[in-house]
Amino acid sequence: MPGTESRPLRSCQSPPTRTEASSPRKSSALIQYKTDQLQPWAVSEGASQPHNLHGVGLLGTAFTMEQDFYRSRLTENGLEVLVPDAEGRGTVHRIIYEELCQGVIRDQSRAAYQIVIADLVAHGAEGVILGCTEIELLIGPDDSPVPVFATTRLHAEAAVAAALGAADQ
């Protein structure tokens, strides 16, 4: 359409620039919404019963697992956040970029994630946050012994809640 701008879609190997990313205020609101959904009563996808969680595993890119921006919001709300060991973080990160971002879904990669999740559970994780949307291509509720929290779903719920809240004003 004349007068409209379009931007090409970016692959996950080409992260958005600062000007393309959401404003810090909006990102903070989404993360706060996510932590509100997890603490103190979290509802996993497809579950009707609330889960009283104290410790959660966090899977995502190396940046998501290693930096404080995500983890700090969760810990501020009373959750213990567990991340995989260095080898597990490397496996999770590699599979995201070398496979999932390329549309490659492998059973052996699912099994590798299940090993990482089992280790997190053994160390006290009572749920797992899928902190990268591509992970949802590989891992679902049936692939984990504990509830998984898909960030795509949480983002969508936050957007709907924000839209409904704005409509009420």
Side-chain angles (χ1 to χ4, degrees):
M1 290 171 52
T4 62
E5 254 184 77
S6 67
R7 290 191 314 225
L9 294 175
R10 294 178 155 291
S11 74
C12 61
Q13 289 188 0
S14 180
T17 63
R18 181 73 177 128
T19 57
E20 294 172 316
S22 300
S23 72
R25 189 173 74 84
K26 289 180 183 175
S27 294
S28 176
L30 287 175
I31 292 170
Q32 182 61 46
Y33 179 81
K34 291 177 191 176
T35 59
D36 289 346
Q37 291 297 303
L38 292 169
Q39 176 64 23
W41 297 100
V43 180
S44 67
E45 185 158 346
S48 60
Q49 297 293 323
H51 301 276
N52 187 10
L53 302 179
H54 302 287
V56 293
L58 176 61
L59 300 179
T61 63
F63 182 77
T64 298
M65 293 184 286
E66 295 170 359
Q67 300 299 312
D68 200 40
F69 77 98
Y70 209 125
R71 294 182 341 194
S72 65
R73 294 303 296 260
L74 296 167
T75 57
E76 286 171 10
N77 284 286
L79 288 169
E80 177 186 6
V81 180
L82 304 165
V83 296
D85 62 19
E87 182 181 346
R89 289 192 312 270
T91 297
V92 168
H93 183 84
R94 180 193 59 74
I95 291 170
I96 289 169
Y97 281 104
E98 293 179 12
E99 297 177 22
L100 301 177
C101 285
Q102 306 302 318
V104 176
I105 312 297
R106 294 189 172 125
D107 288 338
Q108 58 266 50
S109 296
R110 181 175 292 106
Y113 266 64
Q114 288 172 318
I115 291 169
V116 170
I117 291 170
D119 189 55
L120 290 171
V121 170
H123 285 90
E126 300 165 309
V128 176
I129 298 170
L130 306 180
C132 176
T133 57
E134 286 78 16
I135 297 173
E136 297 171 50
L137 298 170
L138 190 64
I139 297 294
D142 294 338
D143 300 309
S144 173
V146 296
V148 294
F149 299 93
T151 55
T152 301
R153 178 176 180 232
L154 295 173
H155 277 270
E157 289 173 350
V160 169
L164 292 175
D168 291 339
Q169 295 177 356

